[in-house]
Structures are given as structure tokens and as C-alpha cells.
């Protein structure tokens, strides 16, 4: 317990450091991008703003996740992370649309960028994001691992900006900066749209893709004394922890011990799927379930 608490404290500390580093650099990036007249740096600033939101929500949710279920949220607070993911995705999409419109304008009417200023910003970007990624690289939680990959992407983006700055320093190609901006933004949108689809799927309580509902139903039906099942549901709290519920209609029941045996066998079967929570309702074949009509 002590080791777990120590890791959780360290996890929160790393997320806090990465958040303030990223947010401070994002603000500097916006000002610097306008100063050196680089739409590529501004597009990366939009990406970093999304990362700052992700880090902020990850830091907040890391602390919030320690809070147990209560009268308001009976499953606990882990589902709040979905809201954070949705907000982050929408902010990034909105920012990306703005950057695309600016980059297209620059392609139609090219403007000079300060190549030397871009180069120094790129060096700073590699150092800041590289340090933050290094701080998160040893993380054990899903939040830390995801954040670490985001920061590593930022480092690679700044390497691209640095290469373009070097080319612009020696050769006047005004189209290069907005072209890089469009490339970075397209890459961001590709990842964001995919993440948004996954988030909405979990929001709409879709069956987790790694779980085969039909297979589980067949396994439950193979248990002796199970005649049929209905009102079977599988959904995810936040994409990592899943929930299961079902009604089993039983046959040939002549003692309470048989019902207990069926439930124990069903529980043993479900445990291998590592559900966070599961509920099994048993009904005799002489009973009529009032929920059957609602499950069609």
C-alpha cells in the first residue's frame, strides 16, 4: 500500500511538472510564432495547447481517481477522463481548422519567416519537450504512458521545424513554412479524429472491441441448468475498466444449491475477462422477466 501511494504521488508530481512546462512553453510559442512570422510554429503551438489540456486533465484526474464511489457517482470518478478526452479532441480540431485556414492563406500569399528565430525556437522546443518526455517515460499508469508518447511526438515535430529553419536560412522558399504547417496539422487531425471516434464509442457505451459478446453468451449457455439468457450488457467505464450484466434463465432447478452452483460457475467464467464489475441475475423457468421486452 505504501509503495502504491508513493508511486501515485510521484505520478502526480511528474504530470504536474510536465503540465506547467508544456503550458508555459505553449504561451511562449504563440508569441514567438507571431514574432518570427511562422505558421508552422503556431500550428505546433495549437498542438501543444491540446497537450497542455490533456496534461492538465490527466493531472487532475490522477488526483480525482483516488476518490471512491459515492452517492452521486456509484461507479467512482474514472469516467471523468472521457470528458477530458472529448474536450481535448474538440479544442485540437477547432485549433487545427484555424491553422489550416491560415496556412492556405500563406500558400496563396507567401510571407517571409525569420529562419534564425525559428531555429532557436526549435532548439528550445526540443529541449523542453524532451525533458518533459524523459520525466514521463518511466511512468506506470496509462495516463503517464499516453502523455509520454504525446510529448515524444512534439519532439519529432520540433525536429522537423528545425530542419525547415535550416533550409530557409540558406534558401528562400516561402512555401516551405506553410507546407510544414499543413503536414503537422494533418498529422494532428489524423490522431485526434481517431481518438475522438474511440472516445465517442465508449461514451455511447459500445461493447469494448477486445471483448467478444457472442462468445461470452455461448460460454454462459454451456453451463448446466442455464436454459437461456437475456438483458446481457457489456460496456466500459473509461476505455480500460469494463462492466458486465446479464439475466440467466435456469431450468431443472430442484434445490437452492443448484442455483448457487450455477452462479459460482458463471462468476468463475467471467473472472477471466477481468471485468471491473459484473452482475448476474438468475430466474427460474417459471418466472417472467419484466425487462425482456425492453431488451429487444
Amino acid at each position: 500500500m505504501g509503495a502504491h501511494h508513493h508511486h501515485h504521488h510521484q505520478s502526480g508530481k511528474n504530470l504536474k511538472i510536465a503540465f506547467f512546462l508544456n503550458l508555459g512553453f505553449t504561451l511562449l510559442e504563440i508569441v514567438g510564432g507571431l514574432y518570427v512570422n511562422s505558421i508552422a510554429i503556431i500550428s505546433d503551438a495549437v498542438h501543444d495547447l491540446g497537450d497542455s489540456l490533456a496534461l492538465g486533465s490527466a493531472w487532475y484526474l490522477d488526483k480525482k481517481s483516488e476518490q471512491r464511489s459515492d452517492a452521486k457517482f456509484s461507479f467512482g470518478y474514472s469516467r471523468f477522463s472521457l470528458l477530458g478526452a472529448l474536450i481535448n479532441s474538440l479544442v485540437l480540431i477547432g485549433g487545427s481548422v484555424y491553422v489550416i485556414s491560415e496556412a492556405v492563406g500563406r500558400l496563396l500569399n507567401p510571407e517571409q519567416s525569420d529562419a534564425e528565430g525559428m531555429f532557436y525556437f526549435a532548439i528550445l522546443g526540443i529541449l523542453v519537450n524532451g525533458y518533459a518526455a524523459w520525466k514521463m517515460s518511466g511512468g506506470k499508469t496509462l495516463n503517464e504512458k499516453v502523455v509520454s508518447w504525446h510529448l515524444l511526438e512534439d519532439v519529432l515535430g520540433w525536429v522537423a521545424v528545425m530542419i525547415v529553419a535550416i533550409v530557409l536560412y540558406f534558401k528562400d522558399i516561402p512555401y516551405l513554412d506553410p507546407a510544414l504547417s499543413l503536414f503537422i496539422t494533418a498529422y494532428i487531425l489524423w490522431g485526434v479524429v481517431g481518438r475522438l471516434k474511440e472516445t465517442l464509442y465508449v461514451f455511447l457505451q459500445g461493447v469494448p472491441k477486445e471483448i467478444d459478446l457472442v462468445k461470452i453468451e455461448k460460454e454462459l449457455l454451456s453451463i448446466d441448468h442455464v436454459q437461456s439468457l437475456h438483458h446481457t450488457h457489456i460496456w466500459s467505464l473509461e476505455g480500460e475498466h469494463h462492466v458486465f450484466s446479464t439475466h440467466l434463465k435456469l431450468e431443472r432447478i430442484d434445490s437452492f444449491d443448484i442455483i448457487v452452483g450455477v452462479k459460482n460457475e458463471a462468476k468463475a467464467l467471467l473472472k477471466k475477462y477481468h471485468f471491473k464489475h459484473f452482475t448476474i441475475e438468475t430466474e427460474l423457468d417459471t418466472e417472467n422477466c419484466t425487462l425482456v421486452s425492453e431488451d429487444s
Side-chain angles (χ1 to χ4, degrees):
M1 183 72 181
H4 172 76
H5 179 76
H6 172 74
H7 170 70
H8 204 99
H9 174 74
Q10 189 60 39
S11 165
K13 188 178 177 183
N14 286 341
L15 286 166
K16 181 180 178 181
I17 291 169
F19 167 66
F20 281 111
L21 267 175
N22 209 269
L23 182 62
F25 184 66
T26 298
L27 297 174
L28 185 65
E29 214 177 346
I30 292 169
V31 174
L34 293 170
Y35 179 75
V36 301
N37 201 27
S38 171
I39 195 69
I41 288 179
I42 293 172
S43 68
D44 207 83
V46 171
H47 185 199
D48 279 351
L49 178 63
D51 280 349
S52 295
L53 286 169
L55 283 163
S57 60
W59 174 33
Y60 171 75
L61 291 164
D62 191 73
K63 294 169 70 177
K64 196 75 174 173
S65 65
E66 293 184 52
Q67 203 168 320
R68 295 185 177 182
S69 58
D70 53 29
K72 285 185 176 180
F73 298 98
S74 60
F75 273 117
Y77 288 77
S78 57
R79 200 165 170 83
F80 274 50
S81 62
L82 286 177
L83 184 60
L86 182 63
I87 292 169
N88 295 339
S89 298
L90 293 176
V91 168
L92 276 174
I93 288 172
S96 295
V97 169
Y98 165 75
V99 168
I100 288 171
S101 66
E102 288 292 307
V104 170
R106 288 287 184 91
L107 284 171
L108 295 173
N109 300 291
E111 295 181 21
Q112 294 296 325
S113 299
D114 182 352
E116 190 174 352
M118 283 177 67
F119 177 79
Y120 290 129
F121 258 102
I123 294 294
L124 188 62
I126 291 168
L127 290 173
V128 171
N129 287 285
Y131 175 74
W134 174 73
K135 287 293 287 182
M136 301 301 304
S137 62
K140 298 289 191 297
T141 67
L142 189 66
N143 259 344
E144 288 175 293
K145 289 174 182 176
V146 170
V147 166
S148 180
W149 275 109
H150 271 294
L151 292 168
L152 202 57
E153 286 176 7
D154 287 344
V155 173
L156 296 174
W158 277 112
V159 169
V161 172
M162 185 175 70
I163 292 168
V164 166
I166 293 169
V167 172
L168 287 175
Y169 187 79
F170 291 104
K171 199 160 186 179
D172 184 22
I173 312 174
Y175 296 103
L176 206 54
D177 180 66
L180 176 63
S181 170
L182 287 173
F183 177 77
I184 292 172
T185 306
Y187 177 71
I188 293 167
L189 280 174
W190 176 264
V192 170
V193 170
R195 191 170 62 185
L196 182 60
K197 282 170 67 178
E198 288 177 17
T199 302
L200 289 174
Y201 185 79
V202 177
F203 247 126
L204 297 172
Q205 297 187 314
V207 175
K209 292 176 181 178
E210 69 272 20
I211 294 178
D212 188 340
L213 174 59
V214 175
K215 182 185 175 186
I216 293 177
E217 287 180 329
K218 285 180 180 176
E219 289 176 339
L220 289 170
L221 285 170
S222 70
I223 297 174
D224 198 23
H225 298 286
V226 174
Q227 182 192 84
S228 62
L229 54 84
H230 55 272
H231 223 273
T232 302
H233 304 293
I234 302 175
W235 70 100
S236 183
L237 291 176
E238 79 306 47
E240 188 181 3
H241 299 103
H242 310 320
V243 181
F244 175 92
S245 69
T246 192
H247 288 212
L248 301 179
K249 178 155 278 196
L250 309 182
E251 61 183 358
R252 296 179 284 108
I253 303 299
D254 51 27
S255 73
F256 185 72
D257 287 343
I258 294 176
I259 297 175
V260 172
V262 169
K263 288 183 78 172
N264 286 338
E265 200 172 335
K267 287 176 184 177
L269 187 153
L270 292 170
K271 275 182 181 176
K272 70 181 182 183
Y273 291 97
H274 305 291
F275 288 113
K276 173 80 172 175
H277 180 89
F278 58 78
T279 304
I280 303 167
E281 169 114 8
T282 55
E283 300 163 1
L284 301 178
D285 51 3
T286 54
E287 288 183 81
N288 288 319
C289 179
T290 56
L291 297 176
V292 170
S293 59
E294 298 173 21
D295 197 38
S296 58

